[in-house]
Amino acid sequence: MGVHIPPQAYKKPAASNNTPIRTAGHPSLSYSYQQESAASMKEAVNTDFPVHCRVTDTEEFVKAMFPIEETLVDAIWDKVKGAHHPESRWSAFPRSVRKEHELYGAFVSVANVIHRAAEELCSQHPGENSARLGGSTRWVDYHSKAPHSADKTIARIRPDCLLAHSLLHDRVKNLSPDEAKGVIWWLQIVAALEMKRRDNEEWEEVVKQLIGYLRQILREQLDRRFVFGFTLGPRCMSVCLHDRSGVLITSTPIDIHKFPKHFIRIIASFAVLAPHKLGFDPSMKIYVQPNEVVESYRLTSETALDVFATDSYKKRWVITLNDGTQYLTVKVMSVARARVMRGRATLVWAVVRFIDGQPGKEIFVLKQSWRPESIKSEGELYSEANGSDCEFLARITLYEDAIIDDMVDRTGAFIPKRPRLESEERFLHVASTDDDEIDRITTPRMRAFVSRVHTRVIMSTYGWPLKYFATLKELLVVFLNGVQGHEHLCNNGLLHRDISAGNVIIARCPDKGATTPFGTKGCLIDLDRSKLGARKTRTLPPAQTQDDPIPEAEIASFSPPITSYFRRRKNLPKLSLSLQPEVISSAYDVLGADYYSYTIAAIEYSLAFPPAQEDHIITTERLGWHSVQRSFDFDPAVNPPKDEDKDTSKASRTGTPPYASAEVLGAAPVRYGNDLAVKYQDAIHDIESFLWILVNICMIRSGPGGARRAELTDEGTGSTMLRNVVYHVFDSDDATLVVNKRHLFAHPHDFEEDVVGNFHPYFHHLKPLVCEWFGLLRLAYTHRELYEYHTLHSRVIAMLEKTIATVPTEEDDDGTVEKILEKRQKELRDLLLPSDTSSELIPAHLDSSPTATTSRTRSKQQVSPGSPTPSKRQKNK
């Protein structure tokens, strides 16, 4: 018995005080930056590099991404060639390179010559280029000084050269080392360059280093949609673009000496093009003070340092929607995913309306992400599932795809051709390399390009994480509401597929709809990973023997052996059972001749968790056996995926690892002793995730308010068994989680002893609930597609309601509840700007209907009628 310690068999762990203790959290859990050393950043890039990097035609890419007029390129060439490009080469570059640093000054010198020439020529036509970056930037050599970050955990890596915002660069370069520690150096970067001494020198490693820099820029510059980077040797330059679809690299290098106009086009573009064509988000501006809102790259020297020295969690943004409506961010809720190499890169803020330079008083939540273009947005899914009919789902009031230059903002939008796939172009850099080098840098695991769309959602639901519950009853009610919300989704054709501690929240509802005494309720949020089911009305479980009922003689003969079986069970009281014939006939209807083992298992579960009034009469009502009508099917065989992102397709499995079912993590059935394959992710997997969230709280929390058990802190000296169980069931790698969760389902005694037995004493009253819930899942997994499997929601809701009714009311003798409620109120007050502290925040209107902004127009279009009718539903990530 006990938790599994890989690679040994599942057994009680040996006594040890070395079990790792989670400090930063699982990557899928944390909403704050986790520590990332240079080594961990390199590991992340190495993992993603062969999967998310691809090549594209150099000439087409350069023309598409750097679209300046040929006449301007010719004019710049005429202006610089005599002094800077004699004898068919850029004169600043040495003919023979002994040390890599000899190239840094050469590049910066030539790049700034081109940059200034472009500025001078454009200044002759100021009206045409008023929005360009121009003289606010210049190329600098940074090879000798690693950038600092206001995020103290960020990796200390350095680009060799970069295009920097001039004002910020001038302010920070003269700071003392102590003063510079608070400066976010990465925010001054427009583009980065990595240099190598030889053109054929380890180009894969060069590209990986560059990608690391670009990843850091996207991480810290929240107003960047994409970023450019370059690799450069004595002659050859390659161009790289990093956006949320991954990394795109030119397939062949550009000889900057032989083709100087190509080089000029690229460098001059950074002085000529509008900022949004260089990757900046024109809808995001920095809030400096009332009536002073500017783009991050247009801050004055007087305000630049103060603003940029503020970390991502304190900086305020003004975000403009397609119709011109503006929102001011007042609190960061999640920006950690800004650093992803490829994916949604979700950013979440608490916001208020921003009208005529002044903040409003209604709190909203603004969520910004890059969804796969072929997948419906969260707002669309919410509308299709009639989300506004359910009070236990986060209320979405508006959703849109961002529009720039009258076009939907999507990755790859400027590229006329989709990037070539691996079968057509296998190499990242093919010039100046021999066959061995080419073989070494192939990308056999490269995934297909996934176009992503810049999407925003506005929600009127604001709340707190589950762990900050005030009382045990509030915690249970929030779980109850979450399951009710999930039931609503499933009944309306949507499977959440990402139930986690971050996606079930304690939502505030000061006006109406509260289900707790504290003006709160449970809400399910985040439909990003949800899957639409196919409309298919059917009765479940399906009858197998409709025309051939079980013989009456067999019914009569069944009762004596089953009664004898249960009398022999040592773990059950000696009972005089009365088995009603309807039980046997109901089991026979759905299983035929195989009904015996299922009937035994269902009765045993019923006896282990008897109803309040025990009468020993086994009926179908007591067992909960009744047919249900379902209108949707989540089986991909019924609703096959189309051209969707393979990572989030209808056929894939998804979830947050600590709370995900072993079937979702390991794609193998929990049911043992058979060869049944897991066909698809279904409601049972989400219901299991709810249970693991509750178990996690009971094991690692010491009570209300989110405090972690002392035994699990770095200084803790408590139970080694508790540490081992928490680590191996929640905080370990996916393979270990699968092994342990599968073992617990196969050996329920270990679940009760090792998991439930290690609950904090505060959660003692929840042990029967957790054991009954776990037993229900075991029965449903073992006997799939039968009565328990299709009535999970109603059964779990009944369990929670029963527990809520029996949990004793807590006395707030030490003032804990009062402190938690005051902390919530303080948080709400702190969302106001300093000048507004005399005002009172009010909730966003909860009866507003979701609206969608169309692609080409900027008007709002109603998509779903609002309804005050309460319903059941929840959601997770």
Side-chain angles (χ1 to χ4, degrees):
M1 295 186 296
V3 292
H4 174 77
I5 301 182
Q8 301 174 4
Y10 193 105
K11 64 181 182 181
K12 290 283 190 186
S16 170
N17 291 321
N18 297 322
T19 301
I21 295 298
R22 175 170 58 87
T23 57
H26 192 283
S28 299
L29 284 177
S30 177
Y31 279 143
S32 62
Y33 284 150
Q34 297 177 329
Q35 184 172 357
E36 184 173 41
S37 64
S40 63
M41 191 212 67
K42 182 178 180 180
E43 180 181 358
V45 172
N46 285 338
T47 299
D48 287 339
F49 178 77
V51 180
H52 301 316
C53 295
R54 53 189 44 80
V55 296
T56 190
D57 182 84
T58 300
E59 185 174 354
E60 290 185 350
F61 177 85
V62 169
K63 287 182 178 179
M65 300 309 297
F66 305 107
I68 64 176
E69 296 293 335
E70 291 290 346
T71 54
L72 177 60
V73 174
D74 292 339
I76 296 172
W77 171 240
D78 291 339
K79 193 176 183 67
V80 304
K81 64 181 179 180
H84 301 282
H85 196 277
E87 301 178 2
S88 301
R89 63 179 293 105
W90 295 104
S91 58
F93 280 76
R95 292 183 178 274
S96 176
V97 181
R98 292 173 297 176
K99 299 291 184 180
E100 182 180 310
H101 65 80
E102 297 174 7
L103 295 172
Y104 302 146
F107 167 77
V108 169
S109 173
V110 174
N112 280 327
V113 165
I114 297 171
H115 199 79
R116 287 192 297 269
E119 292 173 17
E120 293 171 4
L121 291 169
C122 287
S123 65
Q124 301 172 12
H125 307 282
E128 298 178 8
N129 299 279
S130 58
R132 61 188 176 85
L133 290 178
S136 65
T137 58
R138 70 172 178 268
W139 289 92
V140 296
D141 169 10
Y142 252 128
H143 75 280
S144 59
K145 188 172 183 179
H148 296 280
S149 170
D151 176 4
K152 301 303 188 297
T153 67
I154 205 164
R156 286 177 56 80
I157 57 176
R158 66 183 190 193
D160 292 331
C161 303
L162 54 89
L163 181 64
H165 297 294
S166 301
L167 292 177
L168 183 59
H169 174 68
D170 290 341
R171 291 295 302 271
V172 301
K173 70 178 181 180
N174 296 320
L175 295 177
S176 68
D178 288 339
E179 291 175 313
K181 289 180 181 178
V183 177
I184 304 178
W185 286 76
W186 291 99
L187 290 176
Q188 67 180 308
I189 303 176
V190 178
L193 180 141
E194 178 67 2
M195 191 105 43
K196 286 299 176 183
R197 185 166 64 93
R198 297 187 300 272
D199 285 314
N200 61 351
E201 178 184 355
E202 297 290 336
W203 276 104
E204 181 179 352
E205 293 305 314
V206 176
V207 172
K208 287 181 180 179
Q209 288 179 344
L210 176 64
I211 291 171
Y213 309 149
L214 305 185
R215 185 170 175 265
Q216 292 290 73
I217 296 170
L218 288 175
R219 167 184 171 131
E220 292 222 29
Q221 297 186 20
L222 302 185
D223 60 339
R224 290 302 288 269
R225 298 152 47 236
F226 58 86
V227 60
F228 287 108
F230 308 93
T231 63
L232 181 64
R235 297 192 66 87
C236 295
M237 168 185 276
S238 292
V239 186
C240 175
L241 180 147
H242 195 331
D243 61 17
R244 302 309 182 178
S245 286
V247 177
L248 192 63
I249 308 172
T250 51
S251 59
T252 55
I254 300 168
D255 188 325
I256 64 171
H257 301 292
K258 185 177 181 180
F259 302 103
K261 289 187 180 181
H262 291 354
F263 184 54
I264 289 173
R265 171 181 293 278
I266 294 169
I267 299 301
S269 292
F270 288 93
V272 174
L273 295 180
H276 72 269
K277 292 188 176 181
L278 301 176
F280 290 93
D281 186 345
S283 68
M284 294 182 66
K285 297 182 179 181
I286 291 286
Y287 174 89
V288 180
Q289 59 186 1
N291 299 315
E292 186 177 356
V293 178
V294 297
E295 294 90 347
S296 62
Y297 46 85
R298 303 235 185 254
L299 290 169
T300 65
S301 59
E302 290 74 23
T303 60
L305 186 59
D306 291 337
V307 171
F308 279 116
T310 302
D311 68 29
S312 299
Y313 281 85
K314 296 179 182 178
K315 194 181 289 92
R316 295 181 185 273
W317 297 90
V318 172
I319 299 175
T320 304
L321 304 188
N322 293 338
D323 65 354
T325 303
Q326 293 186 320
Y327 287 88
L328 172 66
T329 68
V330 293
K331 178 186 176 183
V332 167
M333 301 180 71
S334 174
V335 296
R337 294 192 176 97
R339 69 171 181 259
V340 301
M341 186 169 180
R342 171 186 180 272
R344 294 177 183 267
T346 302
L347 307 175
V348 185
W349 296 274
V351 299
V352 295
R353 288 285 301 275
F354 193 66
I355 304 174
D356 297 329
Q358 298 299 321
K361 304 297 184 293
E362 298 182 4
I363 305 174
F364 297 86
V365 173
L366 189 153
K367 180 177 178 181
Q368 185 168 278
S369 64
W370 292 84
R371 66 174 173 85
E373 186 173 8
S374 57
I375 292 178
K376 292 185 177 181
S377 72
E378 184 175 359
E380 291 176 289
L381 294 172
Y382 174 84
S383 293
E384 293 200 20
N386 299 313
S388 59
D389 291 344
C390 179
E391 61 181 326
F392 304 128
L393 296 173
R395 183 59 55 89
I396 293 178
T397 60
L398 181 145
Y399 58 92
E400 68 175 16
D401 294 334
I403 297 173
I404 298 179
D405 282 347
D406 294 323
M407 295 179 61
V408 173
D409 188 19
R410 57 170 58 88
T411 59
F414 298 112
I415 302 175
K417 274 189 179 180
R418 288 301 184 202
R420 282 188 270 175
L421 297 180
E422 159 230 343
S423 59
E424 301 171 21
E425 177 60 79
R426 302 176 61 205
F427 313 121
L428 293 176
H429 195 288
V430 296
S432 302
T433 54
D434 57 27
D435 291 341
D436 291 338
E437 179 73 2
I438 288 176
D439 290 338
R440 192 176 62 78
I441 59 179
T442 58
T443 57
R445 293 190 293 128
M446 185 162 50
R447 296 180 183 175
F449 175 82
V450 176
S451 177
R452 293 181 176 271
V453 177
H454 191 187
T455 301
R456 297 190 186 100
V457 173
I458 303 291
M459 293 173 283
S460 59
T461 302
Y462 182 85
W464 299 272
L466 266 176
K467 64 181 180 181
Y468 296 123
F469 66 93
T471 66
L472 202 56
K473 281 196 174 182
E474 183 182 50
L475 175 66
L476 289 170
V477 169
V478 171
F479 268 93
L480 170 64
N481 297 159
V483 175
Q484 289 172 325
H486 190 271
E487 182 182 35
H488 173 90
L489 288 179
C490 290
N491 289 342
N492 286 270
L494 196 65
L495 183 64
H496 192 286
R497 299 201 307 166
D498 190 19
I499 302 299
S500 72
N503 289 336
V504 185
I505 66 169
I506 304 169
R508 73 188 192 103
C509 41
D511 284 351
K512 61 180 180 179
T515 56
T516 76
F518 311 123
T520 59
K521 63 181 178 181
C523 260
L524 191 59
I525 66 172
D526 196 351
L527 302 178
D528 281 343
R529 297 289 180 178
S530 298
K531 176 181 72 172
L532 284 169
R535 184 171 290 278
K536 181 181 179 182
T537 302
R538 64 206 193 284
T539 300
L540 299 170
Q544 303 294 328
T545 58
Q546 296 177 354
D547 301 326
D548 188 17
I550 187 172
E552 293 185 7
E554 186 167 347
I555 295 178
S557 66
F558 185 84
S559 183
I562 194 172
T563 301
S564 175
Y565 171 83
F566 284 108
R567 284 177 178 172
R568 295 193 303 269
R569 295 299 301 270
K570 295 180 179 180
N571 62 326
L572 295 174
K574 304 303 180 185
L575 301 176
S576 177
L577 297 180
S578 175
L579 184 63
Q580 298 299 300
E582 63 189 35
V583 172
I584 302 172
S585 60
S586 294
Y588 184 86
D589 285 344
V590 297
L591 277 176
D594 297 329
Y595 69 89
Y596 183 86
S597 62
Y598 169 54
T599 305
I600 291 288
I603 295 175
E604 185 169 6
Y605 171 75
S606 174
L607 294 176
F609 306 102
Q613 300 297 325
E614 178 59 53
D615 54 15
H616 312 323
I617 300 176
I618 307 300
T619 64
T620 54
E621 182 179 359
R622 171 172 174 157
L623 296 177
W625 285 4
H626 58 84
S627 298
V628 294
Q629 292 289 325
R630 289 285 182 265
S631 300
F632 295 92
D633 195 331
F634 299 113
D635 187 345
V638 177
N639 188 26
K642 299 178 182 178
D643 297 329
E644 294 183 309
D645 179 6
K646 297 303 181 184
D647 291 339
T648 55
S649 72
K650 292 185 173 73
S652 69
R653 303 177 181 88
T654 182
T656 301
Y659 313 119
S661 166
E663 289 195 342
V664 173
L665 290 173
V670 168
R671 179 180 175 184
Y672 291 89
N674 64 83
D675 58 355
L676 177 67
V678 181
K679 295 180 179 179
Y680 57 94
Q681 193 167 353
D682 208 349
I684 189 172
H685 302 109
D686 283 0
I687 295 297
E688 183 184 339
S689 293
F690 277 111
L691 176 62
W692 287 122
I693 298 170
L694 181 58
V695 169
N696 181 271
I697 291 174
C698 293
M699 293 192 74
I700 71 173
R701 303 296 166 190
S702 59
R708 193 174 180 86
R709 293 176 71 165
E711 308 98 297
L712 297 176
T713 62
D714 290 334
E715 299 78 20
T717 57
S719 168
T720 299
M721 185 62 191
L722 172 63
R723 287 170 169 254
N724 277 317
V725 172
V726 170
Y727 178 73
H728 289 97
V729 176
F730 292 108
D731 296 335
S732 190
D733 59 274
D734 290 359
T736 302
L737 297 182
V738 170
V739 169
N740 285 285
K741 289 181 178 180
R742 284 175 58 83
H743 175 92
L744 292 172
F745 273 95
H747 302 87
H749 176 74
D750 286 352
F751 178 81
E752 294 183 18
E753 180 178 333
D754 298 340
V755 176
V756 179
N758 277 291
F759 279 13
H760 187 277
Y762 175 83
F763 300 100
H764 171 77
H765 294 288
L766 302 190
K767 289 183 177 181
L769 165 67
V770 170
C771 290
E772 184 176 2
W773 194 335
F774 187 78
L776 173 64
L777 289 170
R778 288 191 72 243
L779 181 59
Y781 274 129
T782 306
H783 300 279
R784 295 174 188 260
E785 299 295 336
L786 299 180
Y787 294 109
E788 290 77 15
Y789 190 91
H790 293 294
T791 56
L792 285 169
H793 286 103
S794 61
R795 289 171 182 264
V796 172
I797 288 171
M799 290 179 202
L800 288 164
E801 290 175 337
K802 179 179 67 174
T803 307
I804 291 169
T806 57
V807 167
T809 302
E810 300 173 44
E811 300 294 337
D812 191 28
D813 296 332
D814 59 356
T816 298
V817 175
E818 183 179 355
K819 292 176 183 177
I820 293 170
L821 299 181
E822 173 56 30
K823 186 176 181 179
R824 292 178 185 175
Q825 291 304 312
K826 181 179 184 302
E827 178 181 315
L828 295 176
R829 292 193 298 270
D830 289 346
L831 295 181
L832 292 169
L833 298 180
S835 60
D836 299 323
T837 52
S838 61
S839 304
E840 180 182 356
L841 277 173
I842 60 177
H845 297 296
L846 298 181
D847 58 351
S848 56
S849 302
T851 59
T853 303
T854 60
S855 300
R856 305 263 177 195
T857 66
R858 304 205 172 191
S859 62
K860 291 182 178 178
Q861 170 186 347
Q862 186 166 328
V863 296
S864 174
S867 172
T869 305
S871 183
K872 304 175 181 178
R873 170 212 195 210
Q874 189 216 20
K875 160 191 191 241
N876 176 357
K877 188 181 153 216

